[in-house]
Amino acid sequence: MVRAGLAAVFVLVLFVVVAPLARAEPTHAIAMHGDPKYPPDFTHFDYVNPDAPKGGTLRLAWRGGFDSLNPYIIKGRPPIGIGLTYDTLMTASADEPFSHYGLVAESIETPDDRSWVIFRLNPDARFHDGHPITAEDVLFSFDVLREHGAPLYRFYYKDVDGAEALDDHTIKFTFSTDMNRELPLVLGQVPLLPKHYWEGRDFAETTLEPPVTSGPYRIADFEPGRFIRYERVKDYWGNDLPVTAGTYNFDAIVYDYYRDETVMVEALKAGDYDFRSEYVAKTWATAFDGEDLEAGRLVKRVFETSQVAPTQGYVMNMRRPPFDDPAVREAMAYAFDFAWANQNLFYGSYTRTRSNFDNSELAATGVPEGDELALLEPFRDQLPPRLFTEEYNPPSVEEAGNIRSNLRRGLEILREAGWTVQDGVMTNAETGQTLAFEILLRQPSMERLTLPYVQNLKRMGVEATVRIVDTAQFVNRVNTFDFDMISAIWAQSDSPGNEQRDFWSSETANVEGSRNLPGVTSPVVDALVEEVIRADSREDLVTAVHALDRVLQWTFYLVPHYHEENDRVVFWNRFGIPEVTPDSGAAVMTWWIDPEKDAALRAAGVLTDR
């Protein structure tokens, strides 16, 4: 499963079952494979300070806007941070590949084959309006998300055969298969919606009425497109749980919205907000020098991570010409000069992406052998022969800027596929179709990377144009697959599972709002996704992911970009930070306001009350 970021805050962690197949015993947590790290009597996660003081306001920023307070449908744009207001049955630890611990569910029960799961709810769990969270609310949440929520829920819950409330605080889910080990954990992540509130309302429609929720924060104030303010629920029912100890330490969290990244950077330097994750190498290298940095009032810090790198690149829409032709897709990568971009734009700070699971043991390397080869062998006649004899690597150059040999190779691939240059334009010799397409962007900062790419394409006779649109238009066009090529990113997980259906399966290729952006429709990919989901051990999972990764690599759906292997952040020095950093990097929801540091910044005139 993919771990959520600040927008969804923490994803839940589950519990492990050690009972024999004929019997299952309730337990406090569950792991995808093996045993969970923390025992039943644990008091807090290792990466928090359980004695962290509460108080103060965390000021953050986000780009774009929002027009709906319902984050679980494809209509509208929800505000960042809305996940802070919701509870789930379980919550994930940030220092394990995939384990969940009880939140609203005080225990979980599932047999060795994981063919069903029972959650027993904490009788103290309450919505913010005082109503208890019951099994009926869990059933309602499951049903409404599957029927009216974003498409990913339909595919996440595909193998759930039935759900029933055994009593007011106990719910059982039964599965149509015993080959989906992740399902108990997936169901532990169901966001809990109050049945008494949503009955009589249309869940599928956008709303700006703050809904009733149960999480550690509630919406205090907002203005669409400008800001949203969350306040800590001081009598939150879950305050004393081990999974919440040392977290949610700020009395308020405010997100201000900006339309321009440059303005956002300047606003941080001016002290208008507190914390920024920096993804632009040039900004990281040049924008934050100055007196405040030298004096230690502003901090630049790299947090080492060991999480799977996200997949980023130019995604080609295989549903329409010209990218329904695999030769065209392969050729497009030969015009992208990563070495030049890394040297001239990124200060040499990035690593080239070559896998869908880079920076981890899940990345496919070399050629398939052993168990992976056995897994791929039945599909040999459906796969390119090179997959079995060559390691996939994106085109590279020996010298930055010297891309002529790559362009020649790209031209060769196109000519072998029946394309020829006519009057300077690449043209299909049979159909007369010219090789022209639009690159759709929503971030102006991507233009400096894309325009040199367009120039290289032009040298191959390819007519590519760049169009930058606002966030609302971009999201709408991507949700309806109305694009030729886009720059996109997938967050991947240390423990891939059911989300891979939404990413790559044939049944999601034409479902609006799915994350199968390139439109992958491959029986081989479908089969390998199911192998990933049914993997019975960590070893089997790694083997299945290698096979899936390798087939996706040779599908050429992506012109791979790059990734940063660590977490780069800039923040005003007003925080206390736990001694232990989890594998996922800077966990700002475990930080707290340090009164002495905060006072020093105020004395220096950097911070003012808002």
Side-chain angles (χ1 to χ4, degrees), residues 271-286:
D272 291 341
Y273 64 99
D274 298 321
F275 174 99
R276 174 180 175 84
S277 292
E278 187 51 66
Y279 302 108
V280 178
K282 181 179 180 181
T283 304
W284 175 257
T286 65

mmCIF file of all heavy atoms in Angstrom, residues 271-286:
data_model
loop_
_atom_site.group_PDB
_atom_site.id
_atom_site.type_symbol
_atom_site.label_atom_id
_atom_site.label_comp_id
_atom_site.label_asym_id
_atom_site.label_seq_id
_atom_site.Cartn_x
_atom_site.Cartn_y
_atom_site.Cartn_z
ATOM 1 N N GLY A 271 9.001 34.655 6.624
ATOM 2 C CA GLY A 271 8.435 34.213 7.892
ATOM 3 C C GLY A 271 6.937 34.037 7.883
ATOM 4 O O GLY A 271 6.313 33.937 8.943
ATOM 5 N N ASP A 272 6.325 33.967 6.687
ATOM 6 C CA ASP A 272 4.869 33.840 6.606
ATOM 7 C C ASP A 272 4.379 32.430 6.895
ATOM 8 O O ASP A 272 3.202 32.223 7.175
ATOM 9 C CB ASP A 272 4.372 34.282 5.233
ATOM 10 C CG ASP A 272 4.525 35.781 5.024
ATOM 11 O OD1 ASP A 272 4.674 36.503 6.031
ATOM 12 O OD2 ASP A 272 4.507 36.225 3.856
ATOM 13 N N TYR A 273 5.240 31.452 6.727
ATOM 14 C CA TYR A 273 4.912 30.097 7.175
ATOM 15 C C TYR A 273 6.191 29.416 7.627
ATOM 16 O O TYR A 273 7.292 29.976 7.515
ATOM 17 C CB TYR A 273 4.143 29.305 6.114
ATOM 18 C CG TYR A 273 4.871 29.014 4.822
ATOM 19 C CD1 TYR A 273 5.465 27.779 4.605
ATOM 20 C CD2 TYR A 273 4.921 29.945 3.788
ATOM 21 C CE1 TYR A 273 6.106 27.475 3.409
ATOM 22 C CE2 TYR A 273 5.554 29.665 2.586
ATOM 23 C CZ TYR A 273 6.144 28.427 2.402
ATOM 24 O OH TYR A 273 6.785 28.128 1.217
ATOM 25 N N ASP A 274 6.069 28.198 8.162
ATOM 26 C CA ASP A 274 7.133 27.619 8.985
ATOM 27 C C ASP A 274 7.989 26.547 8.331
ATOM 28 O O ASP A 274 9.157 26.382 8.695
ATOM 29 C CB ASP A 274 6.514 26.969 10.243
ATOM 30 C CG ASP A 274 5.804 27.957 11.120
ATOM 31 O OD1 ASP A 274 6.302 29.090 11.270
ATOM 32 O OD2 ASP A 274 4.736 27.609 11.665
ATOM 33 N N PHE A 275 7.440 25.779 7.421
ATOM 34 C CA PHE A 275 8.071 24.519 7.013
ATOM 35 C C PHE A 275 7.801 24.283 5.546
ATOM 36 O O PHE A 275 6.678 24.477 5.075
ATOM 37 C CB PHE A 275 7.512 23.371 7.866
ATOM 38 C CG PHE A 275 7.967 21.996 7.451
ATOM 39 C CD1 PHE A 275 9.015 21.370 8.124
ATOM 40 C CD2 PHE A 275 7.350 21.301 6.419
ATOM 41 C CE1 PHE A 275 9.435 20.092 7.765
ATOM 42 C CE2 PHE A 275 7.768 20.036 6.051
ATOM 43 C CZ PHE A 275 8.817 19.425 6.727
ATOM 44 N N ARG A 276 8.839 23.818 4.824
ATOM 45 C CA ARG A 276 8.672 23.545 3.398
ATOM 46 C C ARG A 276 9.531 22.352 3.008
ATOM 47 O O ARG A 276 10.735 22.309 3.310
ATOM 48 C CB ARG A 276 9.092 24.765 2.574
ATOM 49 C CG ARG A 276 9.100 24.550 1.069
ATOM 50 C CD ARG A 276 9.541 25.813 0.340
ATOM 51 N NE ARG A 276 9.682 25.601 -1.100
ATOM 52 C CZ ARG A 276 8.697 25.667 -1.977
ATOM 53 N NH1 ARG A 276 7.473 25.951 -1.552
ATOM 54 N NH2 ARG A 276 8.895 25.465 -3.259
ATOM 55 N N SER A 277 8.943 21.373 2.355
ATOM 56 C CA SER A 277 9.705 20.318 1.694
ATOM 57 C C SER A 277 10.108 20.856 0.327
ATOM 58 O O SER A 277 9.246 21.291 -0.443
ATOM 59 C CB SER A 277 8.865 19.049 1.541
ATOM 60 O OG SER A 277 8.607 18.457 2.793
ATOM 61 N N GLU A 278 11.409 20.829 0.032
ATOM 62 C CA GLU A 278 11.889 21.446 -1.201
ATOM 63 C C GLU A 278 12.228 20.382 -2.238
ATOM 64 O O GLU A 278 13.120 19.567 -2.040
ATOM 65 C CB GLU A 278 13.119 22.314 -0.926
ATOM 66 C CG GLU A 278 13.562 23.109 -2.130
ATOM 67 C CD GLU A 278 12.413 23.887 -2.750
ATOM 68 O OE1 GLU A 278 11.892 24.818 -2.098
ATOM 69 O OE2 GLU A 278 12.005 23.531 -3.888
ATOM 70 N N TYR A 279 11.510 20.420 -3.362
ATOM 71 C CA TYR A 279 11.701 19.438 -4.423
ATOM 72 C C TYR A 279 12.434 20.007 -5.631
ATOM 73 O O TYR A 279 12.799 19.259 -6.534
ATOM 74 C CB TYR A 279 10.339 18.888 -4.867
ATOM 75 C CG TYR A 279 9.558 18.254 -3.747
ATOM 76 C CD1 TYR A 279 8.433 18.880 -3.210
ATOM 77 C CD2 TYR A 279 9.962 17.042 -3.195
ATOM 78 C CE1 TYR A 279 7.719 18.306 -2.169
ATOM 79 C CE2 TYR A 279 9.252 16.456 -2.152
ATOM 80 C CZ TYR A 279 8.131 17.093 -1.646
ATOM 81 O OH TYR A 279 7.440 16.533 -0.608
ATOM 82 N N VAL A 280 12.629 21.322 -5.667
ATOM 83 C CA VAL A 280 13.298 21.955 -6.802
ATOM 84 C C VAL A 280 14.759 22.167 -6.438
ATOM 85 O O VAL A 280 15.087 22.909 -5.506
ATOM 86 C CB VAL A 280 12.623 23.287 -7.162
ATOM 87 C CG1 VAL A 280 13.354 23.956 -8.316
ATOM 88 C CG2 VAL A 280 11.153 23.066 -7.514
ATOM 89 N N ALA A 281 15.651 21.508 -7.185
ATOM 90 C CA ALA A 281 17.075 21.520 -6.840
ATOM 91 C C ALA A 281 17.657 22.930 -6.876
ATOM 92 O O ALA A 281 18.464 23.297 -6.012
ATOM 93 C CB ALA A 281 17.847 20.610 -7.793
ATOM 94 N N LYS A 282 17.278 23.717 -7.861
ATOM 95 C CA LYS A 282 17.818 25.075 -7.957
ATOM 96 C C LYS A 282 17.392 25.892 -6.751
ATOM 97 O O LYS A 282 18.204 26.656 -6.186
ATOM 98 C CB LYS A 282 17.344 25.744 -9.248
ATOM 99 C CG LYS A 282 17.879 27.152 -9.419
ATOM 100 C CD LYS A 282 17.398 27.775 -10.723
ATOM 101 C CE LYS A 282 17.941 29.196 -10.868
ATOM 102 N NZ LYS A 282 17.465 29.836 -12.120
ATOM 103 N N THR A 283 16.153 25.775 -6.351
ATOM 104 C CA THR A 283 15.676 26.513 -5.183
ATOM 105 C C THR A 283 16.435 26.091 -3.942
ATOM 106 O O THR A 283 16.854 26.921 -3.124
ATOM 107 C CB THR A 283 14.165 26.293 -5.003
ATOM 108 O OG1 THR A 283 13.480 26.661 -6.198
ATOM 109 C CG2 THR A 283 13.624 27.109 -3.846
ATOM 110 N N TRP A 284 16.621 24.781 -3.786
ATOM 111 C CA TRP A 284 17.359 24.261 -2.636
ATOM 112 C C TRP A 284 18.786 24.806 -2.616
ATOM 113 O O TRP A 284 19.304 25.176 -1.560
ATOM 114 C CB TRP A 284 17.371 22.738 -2.694
ATOM 115 C CG TRP A 284 18.199 22.076 -1.630
ATOM 116 C CD1 TRP A 284 19.440 21.526 -1.786
ATOM 117 C CD2 TRP A 284 17.846 21.895 -0.263
ATOM 118 N NE1 TRP A 284 19.893 21.015 -0.588
ATOM 119 C CE2 TRP A 284 18.932 21.228 0.355
ATOM 120 C CE3 TRP A 284 16.735 22.225 0.504
ATOM 121 C CZ2 TRP A 284 18.931 20.883 1.707
ATOM 122 C CZ3 TRP A 284 16.722 21.885 1.856
ATOM 123 C CH2 TRP A 284 17.802 21.227 2.447
ATOM 124 N N ALA A 285 19.401 24.889 -3.778
ATOM 125 C CA ALA A 285 20.810 25.283 -3.846
ATOM 126 C C ALA A 285 21.016 26.786 -3.702
ATOM 127 O O ALA A 285 22.058 27.216 -3.187
ATOM 128 C CB ALA A 285 21.412 24.801 -5.166
ATOM 129 N N THR A 286 20.052 27.600 -4.135
ATOM 130 C CA THR A 286 20.322 29.036 -4.254
ATOM 131 C C THR A 286 19.374 29.960 -3.498
ATOM 132 O O THR A 286 19.721 31.117 -3.259
ATOM 133 C CB THR A 286 20.290 29.453 -5.733
ATOM 134 O OG1 THR A 286 18.957 29.286 -6.257
ATOM 135 C CG2 THR A 286 21.251 28.611 -6.560
#
